[in-house]
C-alpha cells in the first residue's frame, strides 16, 4: 500500500493519506489496497440505509458491478480522539453501475480505529445532501 506510516507523520496526516489512497484505489478498483484500508469488520451504510460489509464492497469491484471513474472529495475534516478518529466531508463521484454512468454527490462520515500503529476504516455512512 502506498501509505507511509512514518513516526514523523501526525495521526491527521496518516488518516489523510489513507483517504487519498482509498480514493485512488476506488477509482482503479485496486482490491489489495482496499482490503488493507478496510478493517475486517468494516461496514458501510449507503444513503438508503443498506449495510455492506468489507467483503460486499470488495466483491462489487471484483465482479465489475460498480466502478468509480472519478471521485472528487471536498471539505474533508479529521477529528482524532486517541485511537479513534471521525472523518466527514463530501464527494462528487462519477459512477458506472448496471451499464449506466451517472454523477452522484454524497456527504459521508467515516470512523477509523488505530490498532498496532495502523489506521483502518471501520465504518462509513453515506447520505445525499439536502438541496439548497
Amino acid at each position: 500500500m502506498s501509505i507511509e506510516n512514518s513516526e514523523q507523520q501526525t495521526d491527521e496526516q496518516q488518516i489523510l493519506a489513507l483517504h487519498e489512497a482509498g480514493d485512488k484505489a476506488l477509482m482503479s478498483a485496486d482490491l489489495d489496497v482496499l482490503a488493507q484500508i478496510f478493517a475486517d469488520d468494516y461496514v458501510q451504510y449507503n444513503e438508503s440505509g443498506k449495510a455492506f460489509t468489507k467483503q460486499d464492497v470488495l466483491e462489487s469491484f471484483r465482479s465489475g458491478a460498480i466502478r468509480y471513474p472519478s471521485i472528487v472529495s471536498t471539505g474533508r475534516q479529521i477529528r482524532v480522539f486517541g485511537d479513534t478518529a471521525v472523518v466527514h466531508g463530501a464527494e462528487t463521484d462519477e459512477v458506472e453501475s448496471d451499464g449506466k454512468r451517472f454523477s452522484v454527490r454524497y456527504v459521508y462520515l467515516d470512523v477509523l480505529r488505530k490498532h498496532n500503529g495502523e489506521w483502518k476504516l471501520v465504518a462509513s455512512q453515506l447520505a445525499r445532501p439536502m438541496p439548497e
Side-chain angles (χ1 to χ4, degrees):
M1 186 162 57
S2 63
I3 301 168
E4 186 177 316
N5 240 359
S6 77
E7 301 228 358
Q8 294 175 324
Q9 284 187 313
T10 66
D11 286 327
E12 290 87 356
Q13 289 170 325
Q14 290 176 27
I15 292 165
L16 178 60
L18 180 111
H19 274 76
E20 290 173 348
D23 287 351
K24 288 178 186 172
L26 288 168
M27 288 186 285
S28 64
D30 188 331
L31 299 178
D32 292 335
V33 171
L34 291 172
Q36 291 178 45
I37 289 173
F38 298 133
D40 289 339
D41 59 350
Y42 173 77
V43 64
Q44 176 190 83
Y45 290 91
N46 71 8
E47 71 279 5
S48 300
K50 183 176 179 187
F52 296 88
T53 66
K54 173 182 180 174
Q55 291 309 314
D56 293 335
V57 173
L58 295 177
E59 182 54 33
S60 69
F61 284 99
R62 188 176 294 111
S63 70
I66 194 163
R67 293 282 182 245
Y68 291 90
S70 173
I71 297 174
V72 178
S73 295
T74 58
R76 188 173 281 149
Q77 300 289 318
I78 300 169
R79 298 166 56 201
V80 178
F81 307 97
D83 66 353
T84 303
V86 174
V87 180
H88 59 90
E91 61 184 50
T92 302
D93 300 345
E94 289 291 322
V95 182
E96 292 178 359
S97 180
D98 297 324
K100 298 176 185 158
R101 186 174 176 143
F102 53 94
S103 293
V104 65
R105 180 156 171 78
Y106 292 112
V107 292
Y108 65 88
L109 180 71
D110 290 337
V111 179
L112 297 94
R113 179 172 179 254
K114 190 174 191 178
H115 182 68
N116 294 330
E118 187 175 10
W119 287 100
K120 297 272 188 178
L121 196 55
V122 296
S124 299
Q125 172 70 59
L126 304 175
R128 298 267 175 112
M130 296 292 295
E132 295 181 23

